[in-house]
Amino acid sequence: MIRRKCLKLATVFAFGLFGWAGAAAAQTPEAGGTLIMVVQPEPPTLASYLSTSGPIGQVTTKVYDGLLEYDFDLKPIPSLAESWDESSDGKTITFHLRKDVKFHDGSDFTSADVQYTFMDVLKKVHPRASSSFKELTAVETPDPYTAVFKLANPAPYMIRALSGYESPIVSKELFEGTDPRQNPTANAPIGTGPFKFVEWKKGQYVRLDKNENYWKEGLPYLDRVVARFIPDAATRAAALENQEVQYAAFNAVPNVDAKRLDSIDGITVTTEGYSMINPMMLLEMNTKSLPIDNVKVRQAISYAIDRQFIIDNIFYGYGKPATGSISSNFASVGLYSDDVHDYAVADRIEKANALLDEAGFPRGENGVRFEIVHDIIAYGEDWQRLGEYIKQALGDIGISVTLRYEDVPTWLKRVFTDYDFQMNSNFFYQLADPVLGMHRQYLTDQIKQGTVFVNSSRYSNPEVDDLAHLGAEEIDPKKRSEIYTKIQQILAEDLPVIPLVEMQFTTVYLDKVKNTIVSPLGAYSSFDQAWIEQ
């Protein structure tokens, strides 16, 4: 949902192929100006082919293009690839590349750059390559402007992993003969995008200037994009209010301040622009730990939690109750189903108590059935408040909860290396397809001790494994939808993970800033169409 105080909506022009429904009078974009955006925290690197740390993409997507971009229905549209063809068996995708593209150093972009990027960089060092490009065996280059992807098995999800955010195209000339982990362009990136890297002043800002030779004629409109790093949350909010900065995404402005700023004329707060990452708040359950190993206990816990209360009272109204293991944002591509076990029923507390009685955990004289420890993700005050609510909610059904809050390294080691937990709060990006974001939480082959943000519940269900492998390769949309419906139904019963809330990150920006959110990637888009009303 987008909230506005004034109807100053801009026209989104041809290159983006997007638009706000019901937009008011069209405006002509104005060239020039500097967009100052808050990026929080400061990126650890600008090597987006090497790390998917959240802040990196907000900067590097202005520098690097991808083969494709996406509309708000998550459907691919042209970028560096003008068009593409898929074979009937789903094992060959032929990309027809643009012929008028140059890297920022003046060298030509060709199919050799595509081949090198995917086979020698992304497949070797990208954190999500083991999922995204698992089936990619070769990229053939029959001519400078044709790249043919050869797959061992069909991978319909891969088409949604080709944006400048997920798969930035790098220059073979600059990378060949180097270890991509050590390439000198890591923190001085050179791409084909609308803005060129100029300077990174650590602790203060990254400066990007207009690419005068950008392949989209007439774009970008802006002269410059500056990413500022402001550690203090209150200072970030004040900077927006005082118009020292003009744009802040990914909850850089805390929800409590976003609510306040939303009432000020000239400032907009929106939750648009995040449907390509689909963050899901959840509770991970250690299925090997007593009494969490009992499915009736997990179901009782799910019944006890009021998801709408969490949204309204902890996250200031931002979010949507999660119904299952796949975000409802996937409804547009037929992969979401609400035909699953419903835990948000009127008599949920009665059902929870009955399940715990059936599981053999009666209340003691003090009303307590058993005790568990809840490990809170170390991401700040909102998550601590969530822990306090869960303690209260489970206390109502006779489960005594001890809260444990540790620093990030300790929490990560406890959960993903030592498996020394019973229940923990977390959130996962589900990304643009279940294979890319959801499989890693539930499949047996994703039980990888010491690897973070995978299957820490150690849930193993051969039926789910088999269905997921079928779903990953199925190219018929109807059959694929049926497969993932069945997966969601099984997981809603087994509950190795309890989905809580489909999170809504906020973006706060000045109304005079136009066309920054023109795709489901939001702040992870290129800003080639962004402009500032003078």
Side-chain angles (χ1 to χ4, degrees), residues 146-179:
T146 305
V148 183
F149 282 38
K150 307 299 289 187
L151 310 179
N153 294 291
Y157 52 87
M158 195 183 74
I159 202 70
R160 295 195 184 95
L162 301 178
S163 69
Y165 163 64
E166 188 69 14
S167 302
I169 301 297
V170 303
S171 166
K172 177 180 179 180
E173 181 179 328
L174 296 175
F175 274 75
E176 192 170 29
T178 73
D179 180 346

PDB file of all heavy atoms in Angstrom, residues 146-179:
ATOM      1  N   THR A 146      24.612 -13.075 -28.866  1.00  0.00           N
ATOM      2  CA  THR A 146      23.736 -14.197 -28.520  1.00  0.00           C
ATOM      3  C   THR A 146      24.397 -15.012 -27.418  1.00  0.00           C
ATOM      4  O   THR A 146      25.557 -15.400 -27.542  1.00  0.00           O
ATOM      5  CB  THR A 146      23.474 -15.104 -29.740  1.00  0.00           C
ATOM      6  OG1 THR A 146      22.953 -14.330 -30.820  1.00  0.00           O
ATOM      7  CG2 THR A 146      22.469 -16.192 -29.385  1.00  0.00           C
ATOM      8  N   ALA A 147      23.651 -15.246 -26.341  1.00  0.00           N
ATOM      9  CA  ALA A 147      24.135 -16.069 -25.227  1.00  0.00           C
ATOM     10  C   ALA A 147      23.132 -17.195 -25.005  1.00  0.00           C
ATOM     11  O   ALA A 147      21.947 -16.937 -24.760  1.00  0.00           O
ATOM     12  CB  ALA A 147      24.295 -15.238 -23.961  1.00  0.00           C
ATOM     13  N   VAL A 148      23.609 -18.428 -25.128  1.00  0.00           N
ATOM     14  CA  VAL A 148      22.737 -19.596 -25.029  1.00  0.00           C
ATOM     15  C   VAL A 148      23.019 -20.323 -23.716  1.00  0.00           C
ATOM     16  O   VAL A 148      24.112 -20.858 -23.511  1.00  0.00           O
ATOM     17  CB  VAL A 148      22.948 -20.546 -26.222  1.00  0.00           C
ATOM     18  CG1 VAL A 148      21.978 -21.723 -26.129  1.00  0.00           C
ATOM     19  CG2 VAL A 148      22.781 -19.807 -27.544  1.00  0.00           C
ATOM     20  N   PHE A 149      22.031 -20.319 -22.815  1.00  0.00           N
ATOM     21  CA  PHE A 149      22.170 -20.991 -21.520  1.00  0.00           C
ATOM     22  C   PHE A 149      21.748 -22.449 -21.676  1.00  0.00           C
ATOM     23  O   PHE A 149      20.625 -22.741 -22.098  1.00  0.00           O
ATOM     24  CB  PHE A 149      21.288 -20.324 -20.468  1.00  0.00           C
ATOM     25  CG  PHE A 149      21.851 -19.040 -19.912  1.00  0.00           C
ATOM     26  CD1 PHE A 149      22.530 -18.138 -20.718  1.00  0.00           C
ATOM     27  CD2 PHE A 149      21.689 -18.732 -18.568  1.00  0.00           C
ATOM     28  CE1 PHE A 149      23.045 -16.957 -20.205  1.00  0.00           C
ATOM     29  CE2 PHE A 149      22.203 -17.549 -18.045  1.00  0.00           C
ATOM     30  CZ  PHE A 149      22.889 -16.666 -18.870  1.00  0.00           C
ATOM     31  N   LYS A 150      22.650 -23.365 -21.313  1.00  0.00           N
ATOM     32  CA  LYS A 150      22.366 -24.797 -21.373  1.00  0.00           C
ATOM     33  C   LYS A 150      22.165 -25.315 -19.948  1.00  0.00           C
ATOM     34  O   LYS A 150      22.995 -25.092 -19.069  1.00  0.00           O
ATOM     35  CB  LYS A 150      23.523 -25.543 -22.034  1.00  0.00           C
ATOM     36  CG  LYS A 150      23.936 -24.987 -23.395  1.00  0.00           C
ATOM     37  CD  LYS A 150      22.818 -25.048 -24.420  1.00  0.00           C
ATOM     38  CE  LYS A 150      22.534 -26.464 -24.869  1.00  0.00           C
ATOM     39  NZ  LYS A 150      21.559 -26.483 -26.002  1.00  0.00           N
ATOM     40  N   LEU A 151      21.059 -26.017 -19.729  1.00  0.00           N
ATOM     41  CA  LEU A 151      20.690 -26.502 -18.403  1.00  0.00           C
ATOM     42  C   LEU A 151      20.676 -28.027 -18.365  1.00  0.00           C
ATOM     43  O   LEU A 151      20.254 -28.673 -19.337  1.00  0.00           O
ATOM     44  CB  LEU A 151      19.310 -25.973 -18.004  1.00  0.00           C
ATOM     45  CG  LEU A 151      19.071 -24.470 -18.149  1.00  0.00           C
ATOM     46  CD1 LEU A 151      17.646 -24.132 -17.734  1.00  0.00           C
ATOM     47  CD2 LEU A 151      20.059 -23.685 -17.322  1.00  0.00           C
ATOM     48  N   ALA A 152      21.105 -28.591 -17.258  1.00  0.00           N
ATOM     49  CA  ALA A 152      21.050 -30.036 -17.086  1.00  0.00           C
ATOM     50  C   ALA A 152      19.612 -30.507 -16.944  1.00  0.00           C
ATOM     51  O   ALA A 152      19.227 -31.573 -17.442  1.00  0.00           O
ATOM     52  CB  ALA A 152      21.860 -30.456 -15.865  1.00  0.00           C
ATOM     53  N   ASN A 153      18.806 -29.706 -16.282  1.00  0.00           N
ATOM     54  CA  ASN A 153      17.376 -29.978 -16.096  1.00  0.00           C
ATOM     55  C   ASN A 153      16.630 -28.661 -16.190  1.00  0.00           C
ATOM     56  O   ASN A 153      17.205 -27.586 -15.989  1.00  0.00           O
ATOM     57  CB  ASN A 153      17.119 -30.603 -14.724  1.00  0.00           C
ATOM     58  CG  ASN A 153      17.739 -31.971 -14.577  1.00  0.00           C
ATOM     59  OD1 ASN A 153      17.315 -32.935 -15.208  1.00  0.00           O
ATOM     60  ND2 ASN A 153      18.770 -32.070 -13.736  1.00  0.00           N
ATOM     61  N   PRO A 154      15.331 -28.705 -16.508  1.00  0.00           N
ATOM     62  CA  PRO A 154      14.571 -27.450 -16.541  1.00  0.00           C
ATOM     63  C   PRO A 154      14.662 -26.717 -15.212  1.00  0.00           C
ATOM     64  O   PRO A 154      14.672 -27.348 -14.145  1.00  0.00           O
ATOM     65  CB  PRO A 154      13.131 -27.919 -16.815  1.00  0.00           C
ATOM     66  CG  PRO A 154      13.273 -29.259 -17.465  1.00  0.00           C
ATOM     67  CD  PRO A 154      14.492 -29.876 -16.840  1.00  0.00           C
ATOM     68  N   ALA A 155      14.751 -25.405 -15.263  1.00  0.00           N
ATOM     69  CA  ALA A 155      14.849 -24.581 -14.050  1.00  0.00           C
ATOM     70  C   ALA A 155      14.007 -23.325 -14.246  1.00  0.00           C
ATOM     71  O   ALA A 155      14.534 -22.232 -14.459  1.00  0.00           O
ATOM     72  CB  ALA A 155      16.307 -24.223 -13.773  1.00  0.00           C
ATOM     73  N   PRO A 156      12.677 -23.454 -14.185  1.00  0.00           N
ATOM     74  CA  PRO A 156      11.805 -22.308 -14.475  1.00  0.00           C
ATOM     75  C   PRO A 156      12.012 -21.132 -13.534  1.00  0.00           C
ATOM     76  O   PRO A 156      11.698 -19.997 -13.882  1.00  0.00           O
ATOM     77  CB  PRO A 156      10.391 -22.893 -14.334  1.00  0.00           C
ATOM     78  CG  PRO A 156      10.559 -24.128 -13.497  1.00  0.00           C
ATOM     79  CD  PRO A 156      11.899 -24.667 -13.839  1.00  0.00           C
ATOM     80  N   TYR A 157      12.558 -21.377 -12.354  1.00  0.00           N
ATOM     81  CA  TYR A 157      12.806 -20.317 -11.387  1.00  0.00           C
ATOM     82  C   TYR A 157      13.967 -19.416 -11.799  1.00  0.00           C
ATOM     83  O   TYR A 157      14.051 -18.269 -11.386  1.00  0.00           O
ATOM     84  CB  TYR A 157      13.122 -20.939 -10.014  1.00  0.00           C
ATOM     85  CG  TYR A 157      14.217 -21.974 -10.071  1.00  0.00           C
ATOM     86  CD1 TYR A 157      15.560 -21.628  -9.965  1.00  0.00           C
ATOM     87  CD2 TYR A 157      13.901 -23.322 -10.255  1.00  0.00           C
ATOM     88  CE1 TYR A 157      16.561 -22.579 -10.051  1.00  0.00           C
ATOM     89  CE2 TYR A 157      14.904 -24.282 -10.337  1.00  0.00           C
ATOM     90  CZ  TYR A 157      16.222 -23.903 -10.239  1.00  0.00           C
ATOM     91  OH  TYR A 157      17.217 -24.842 -10.327  1.00  0.00           O
ATOM     92  N   MET A 158      14.886 -19.929 -12.618  1.00  0.00           N
ATOM     93  CA  MET A 158      16.094 -19.181 -12.942  1.00  0.00           C
ATOM     94  C   MET A 158      15.787 -17.889 -13.683  1.00  0.00           C
ATOM     95  O   MET A 158      16.517 -16.900 -13.561  1.00  0.00           O
ATOM     96  CB  MET A 158      17.054 -20.031 -13.774  1.00  0.00           C
ATOM     97  CG  MET A 158      18.460 -19.463 -13.837  1.00  0.00           C
ATOM     98  SD  MET A 158      19.570 -20.418 -14.894  1.00  0.00           S
ATOM     99  CE  MET A 158      18.942 -19.947 -16.514  1.00  0.00           C
ATOM    100  N   ILE A 159      14.689 -17.870 -14.432  1.00  0.00           N
ATOM    101  CA  ILE A 159      14.348 -16.684 -15.210  1.00  0.00           C
ATOM    102  C   ILE A 159      14.075 -15.491 -14.301  1.00  0.00           C
ATOM    103  O   ILE A 159      14.144 -14.337 -14.730  1.00  0.00           O
ATOM    104  CB  ILE A 159      13.131 -16.966 -16.126  1.00  0.00           C
ATOM    105  CG1 ILE A 159      13.083 -15.978 -17.301  1.00  0.00           C
ATOM    106  CG2 ILE A 159      11.840 -16.959 -15.353  1.00  0.00           C
ATOM    107  CD1 ILE A 159      14.162 -16.182 -18.327  1.00  0.00           C
ATOM    108  N   ARG A 160      13.798 -15.753 -13.005  1.00  0.00           N
ATOM    109  CA  ARG A 160      13.524 -14.671 -12.060  1.00  0.00           C
ATOM    110  C   ARG A 160      14.754 -14.297 -11.237  1.00  0.00           C
ATOM    111  O   ARG A 160      14.650 -13.570 -10.258  1.00  0.00           O
ATOM    112  CB  ARG A 160      12.370 -15.057 -11.131  1.00  0.00           C
ATOM    113  CG  ARG A 160      11.043 -15.224 -11.862  1.00  0.00           C
ATOM    114  CD  ARG A 160       9.866 -15.235 -10.892  1.00  0.00           C
ATOM    115  NE  ARG A 160       8.628 -15.482 -11.603  1.00  0.00           N
ATOM    116  CZ  ARG A 160       8.070 -16.685 -11.745  1.00  0.00           C
ATOM    117  NH1 ARG A 160       8.648 -17.740 -11.201  1.00  0.00           N
ATOM    118  NH2 ARG A 160       6.947 -16.839 -12.408  1.00  0.00           N
ATOM    119  N   ALA A 161      15.912 -14.791 -11.650  1.00  0.00           N
ATOM    120  CA  ALA A 161      17.142 -14.500 -10.902  1.00  0.00           C
ATOM    121  C   ALA A 161      18.152 -13.767 -11.785  1.00  0.00           C
ATOM    122  O   ALA A 161      19.357 -13.912 -11.598  1.00  0.00           O
ATOM    123  CB  ALA A 161      17.752 -15.793 -10.377  1.00  0.00           C
ATOM    124  N   LEU A 162      17.676 -12.956 -12.713  1.00  0.00           N
ATOM    125  CA  LEU A 162      18.568 -12.364 -13.707  1.00  0.00           C
ATOM    126  C   LEU A 162      18.560 -10.840 -13.698  1.00  0.00           C
ATOM    127  O   LEU A 162      18.962 -10.203 -14.671  1.00  0.00           O
ATOM    128  CB  LEU A 162      18.201 -12.888 -15.109  1.00  0.00           C
ATOM    129  CG  LEU A 162      18.275 -14.416 -15.274  1.00  0.00           C
ATOM    130  CD1 LEU A 162      17.838 -14.812 -16.688  1.00  0.00           C
ATOM    131  CD2 LEU A 162      19.665 -14.937 -14.976  1.00  0.00           C
ATOM    132  N   SER A 163      18.139 -10.248 -12.592  1.00  0.00           N
ATOM    133  CA  SER A 163      18.149  -8.786 -12.485  1.00  0.00           C
ATOM    134  C   SER A 163      19.548  -8.281 -12.168  1.00  0.00           C
ATOM    135  O   SER A 163      20.443  -9.050 -11.806  1.00  0.00           O
ATOM    136  CB  SER A 163      17.198  -8.332 -11.378  1.00  0.00           C
ATOM    137  OG  SER A 163      17.710  -8.714 -10.108  1.00  0.00           O
ATOM    138  N   GLY A 164      19.721  -6.980 -12.261  1.00  0.00           N
ATOM    139  CA  GLY A 164      20.990  -6.376 -11.884  1.00  0.00           C
ATOM    140  C   GLY A 164      21.288  -6.527 -10.409  1.00  0.00           C
ATOM    141  O   GLY A 164      22.450  -6.467  -9.999  1.00  0.00           O
ATOM    142  N   TYR A 165      20.262  -6.727  -9.603  1.00  0.00           N
ATOM    143  CA  TYR A 165      20.454  -6.971  -8.171  1.00  0.00           C
ATOM    144  C   TYR A 165      20.975  -8.376  -7.922  1.00  0.00           C
ATOM    145  O   TYR A 165      21.956  -8.578  -7.206  1.00  0.00           O
ATOM    146  CB  TYR A 165      19.133  -6.764  -7.415  1.00  0.00           C
ATOM    147  CG  TYR A 165      19.114  -7.374  -6.035  1.00  0.00           C
ATOM    148  CD1 TYR A 165      19.976  -6.917  -5.033  1.00  0.00           C
ATOM    149  CD2 TYR A 165      18.249  -8.424  -5.725  1.00  0.00           C
ATOM    150  CE1 TYR A 165      19.969  -7.493  -3.768  1.00  0.00           C
ATOM    151  CE2 TYR A 165      18.240  -8.994  -4.461  1.00  0.00           C
ATOM    152  CZ  TYR A 165      19.101  -8.527  -3.488  1.00  0.00           C
ATOM    153  OH  TYR A 165      19.097  -9.101  -2.236  1.00  0.00           O
ATOM    154  N   GLU A 166      20.337  -9.374  -8.502  1.00  0.00           N
ATOM    155  CA  GLU A 166      20.678 -10.766  -8.216  1.00  0.00           C
ATOM    156  C   GLU A 166      21.845 -11.265  -9.054  1.00  0.00           C
ATOM    157  O   GLU A 166      22.650 -12.069  -8.582  1.00  0.00           O
ATOM    158  CB  GLU A 166      19.445 -11.655  -8.454  1.00  0.00           C
ATOM    159  CG  GLU A 166      19.609 -13.095  -8.020  1.00  0.00           C
ATOM    160  CD  GLU A 166      19.695 -13.263  -6.512  1.00  0.00           C
ATOM    161  OE1 GLU A 166      19.362 -12.315  -5.774  1.00  0.00           O
ATOM    162  OE2 GLU A 166      20.090 -14.349  -6.066  1.00  0.00           O
ATOM    163  N   SER A 167      21.949 -10.810 -10.288  1.00  0.00           N
ATOM    164  CA  SER A 167      22.977 -11.319 -11.206  1.00  0.00           C
ATOM    165  C   SER A 167      23.611 -10.178 -11.993  1.00  0.00           C
ATOM    166  O   SER A 167      23.366 -10.020 -13.187  1.00  0.00           O
ATOM    167  CB  SER A 167      22.364 -12.346 -12.168  1.00  0.00           C
ATOM    168  OG  SER A 167      21.778 -13.417 -11.468  1.00  0.00           O
ATOM    169  N   PRO A 168      24.436  -9.358 -11.337  1.00  0.00           N
ATOM    170  CA  PRO A 168      25.052  -8.212 -12.015  1.00  0.00           C
ATOM    171  C   PRO A 168      26.041  -8.661 -13.091  1.00  0.00           C
ATOM    172  O   PRO A 168      26.873  -9.537 -12.850  1.00  0.00           O
ATOM    173  CB  PRO A 168      25.772  -7.485 -10.872  1.00  0.00           C
ATOM    174  CG  PRO A 168      26.068  -8.571  -9.872  1.00  0.00           C
ATOM    175  CD  PRO A 168      24.895  -9.502  -9.943  1.00  0.00           C
ATOM    176  N   ILE A 169      25.951  -8.069 -14.273  1.00  0.00           N
ATOM    177  CA  ILE A 169      26.841  -8.427 -15.372  1.00  0.00           C
ATOM    178  C   ILE A 169      28.143  -7.637 -15.252  1.00  0.00           C
ATOM    179  O   ILE A 169      28.135  -6.401 -15.240  1.00  0.00           O
ATOM    180  CB  ILE A 169      26.191  -8.156 -16.736  1.00  0.00           C
ATOM    181  CG1 ILE A 169      24.893  -8.958 -16.879  1.00  0.00           C
ATOM    182  CG2 ILE A 169      27.167  -8.492 -17.859  1.00  0.00           C
ATOM    183  CD1 ILE A 169      25.065 -10.468 -16.846  1.00  0.00           C
ATOM    184  N   VAL A 170      29.254  -8.373 -15.168  1.00  0.00           N
ATOM    185  CA  VAL A 170      30.569  -7.749 -15.036  1.00  0.00           C
ATOM    186  C   VAL A 170      31.343  -7.879 -16.345  1.00  0.00           C
ATOM    187  O   VAL A 170      30.963  -8.634 -17.255  1.00  0.00           O
ATOM    188  CB  VAL A 170      31.375  -8.361 -13.872  1.00  0.00           C
ATOM    189  CG1 VAL A 170      30.594  -8.244 -12.570  1.00  0.00           C
ATOM    190  CG2 VAL A 170      31.725  -9.828 -14.154  1.00  0.00           C
ATOM    191  N   SER A 171      32.429  -7.159 -16.432  1.00  0.00           N
ATOM    192  CA  SER A 171      33.265  -7.136 -17.631  1.00  0.00           C
ATOM    193  C   SER A 171      34.280  -8.275 -17.601  1.00  0.00           C
ATOM    194  O   SER A 171      35.099  -8.367 -16.682  1.00  0.00           O
ATOM    195  CB  SER A 171      33.998  -5.796 -17.725  1.00  0.00           C
ATOM    196  OG  SER A 171      35.044  -5.854 -18.670  1.00  0.00           O
ATOM    197  N   LYS A 172      34.257  -9.126 -18.618  1.00  0.00           N
ATOM    198  CA  LYS A 172      35.240 -10.198 -18.712  1.00  0.00           C
ATOM    199  C   LYS A 172      36.652  -9.622 -18.782  1.00  0.00           C
ATOM    200  O   LYS A 172      37.577 -10.146 -18.152  1.00  0.00           O
ATOM    201  CB  LYS A 172      34.969 -11.055 -19.949  1.00  0.00           C
ATOM    202  CG  LYS A 172      35.995 -12.157 -20.159  1.00  0.00           C
ATOM    203  CD  LYS A 172      35.684 -12.990 -21.389  1.00  0.00           C
ATOM    204  CE  LYS A 172      36.738 -14.085 -21.593  1.00  0.00           C
ATOM    205  NZ  LYS A 172      36.456 -14.920 -22.788  1.00  0.00           N
ATOM    206  N   GLU A 173      36.791  -8.535 -19.523  1.00  0.00           N
ATOM    207  CA  GLU A 173      38.107  -7.918 -19.687  1.00  0.00           C
ATOM    208  C   GLU A 173      38.718  -7.530 -18.346  1.00  0.00           C
ATOM    209  O   GLU A 173      39.927  -7.652 -18.131  1.00  0.00           O
ATOM    210  CB  GLU A 173      37.981  -6.697 -20.586  1.00  0.00           C
ATOM    211  CG  GLU A 173      39.282  -5.966 -20.863  1.00  0.00           C
ATOM    212  CD  GLU A 173      39.085  -4.783 -21.786  1.00  0.00           C
ATOM    213  OE1 GLU A 173      38.193  -4.844 -22.656  1.00  0.00           O
ATOM    214  OE2 GLU A 173      39.825  -3.786 -21.627  1.00  0.00           O
ATOM    215  N   LEU A 174      37.873  -7.062 -17.423  1.00  0.00           N
ATOM    216  CA  LEU A 174      38.368  -6.614 -16.118  1.00  0.00           C
ATOM    217  C   LEU A 174      38.520  -7.743 -15.110  1.00  0.00           C
ATOM    218  O   LEU A 174      39.246  -7.603 -14.123  1.00  0.00           O
ATOM    219  CB  LEU A 174      37.429  -5.552 -15.547  1.00  0.00           C
ATOM    220  CG  LEU A 174      37.330  -4.243 -16.336  1.00  0.00           C
ATOM    221  CD1 LEU A 174      36.274  -3.334 -15.729  1.00  0.00           C
ATOM    222  CD2 LEU A 174      38.678  -3.539 -16.381  1.00  0.00           C
ATOM    223  N   PHE A 175      37.841  -8.873 -15.349  1.00  0.00           N
ATOM    224  CA  PHE A 175      37.847  -9.959 -14.366  1.00  0.00           C
ATOM    225  C   PHE A 175      38.698 -11.152 -14.775  1.00  0.00           C
ATOM    226  O   PHE A 175      39.206 -11.868 -13.914  1.00  0.00           O
ATOM    227  CB  PHE A 175      36.408 -10.433 -14.107  1.00  0.00           C
ATOM    228  CG  PHE A 175      35.690  -9.639 -13.057  1.00  0.00           C
ATOM    229  CD1 PHE A 175      35.222  -8.376 -13.330  1.00  0.00           C
ATOM    230  CD2 PHE A 175      35.490 -10.165 -11.794  1.00  0.00           C
ATOM    231  CE1 PHE A 175      34.560  -7.628 -12.368  1.00  0.00           C
ATOM    232  CE2 PHE A 175      34.821  -9.434 -10.815  1.00  0.00           C
ATOM    233  CZ  PHE A 175      34.370  -8.156 -11.103  1.00  0.00           C
ATOM    234  N   GLU A 176      38.867 -11.379 -16.052  1.00  0.00           N
ATOM    235  CA  GLU A 176      39.577 -12.568 -16.501  1.00  0.00           C
ATOM    236  C   GLU A 176      41.000 -12.586 -15.950  1.00  0.00           C
ATOM    237  O   GLU A 176      41.715 -11.589 -15.975  1.00  0.00           O
ATOM    238  CB  GLU A 176      39.611 -12.625 -18.023  1.00  0.00           C
ATOM    239  CG  GLU A 176      40.068 -13.963 -18.565  1.00  0.00           C
ATOM    240  CD  GLU A 176      39.874 -14.079 -20.061  1.00  0.00           C
ATOM    241  OE1 GLU A 176      39.914 -13.035 -20.754  1.00  0.00           O
ATOM    242  OE2 GLU A 176      39.663 -15.203 -20.540  1.00  0.00           O
ATOM    243  N   GLY A 177      41.382 -13.754 -15.435  1.00  0.00           N
ATOM    244  CA  GLY A 177      42.720 -13.896 -14.887  1.00  0.00           C
ATOM    245  C   GLY A 177      42.856 -13.459 -13.442  1.00  0.00           C
ATOM    246  O   GLY A 177      43.957 -13.487 -12.878  1.00  0.00           O
ATOM    247  N   THR A 178      41.732 -13.060 -12.817  1.00  0.00           N
ATOM    248  CA  THR A 178      41.764 -12.654 -11.419  1.00  0.00           C
ATOM    249  C   THR A 178      40.840 -13.556 -10.604  1.00  0.00           C
ATOM    250  O   THR A 178      39.942 -14.196 -11.149  1.00  0.00           O
ATOM    251  CB  THR A 178      41.306 -11.192 -11.226  1.00  0.00           C
ATOM    252  OG1 THR A 178      39.877 -11.113 -11.405  1.00  0.00           O
ATOM    253  CG2 THR A 178      41.983 -10.265 -12.220  1.00  0.00           C
ATOM    254  N   ASP A 179      41.073 -13.596  -9.313  1.00  0.00           N
ATOM    255  CA  ASP A 179      40.131 -14.237  -8.398  1.00  0.00           C
ATOM    256  C   ASP A 179      39.017 -13.222  -8.153  1.00  0.00           C
ATOM    257  O   ASP A 179      39.281 -12.117  -7.660  1.00  0.00           O
ATOM    258  CB  ASP A 179      40.846 -14.579  -7.084  1.00  0.00           C
ATOM    259  CG  ASP A 179      39.926 -15.251  -6.073  1.00  0.00           C
ATOM    260  OD1 ASP A 179      38.693 -15.226  -6.254  1.00  0.00           O
ATOM    261  OD2 ASP A 179      40.451 -15.792  -5.082  1.00  0.00           O
TER     262      ASP A 179
END
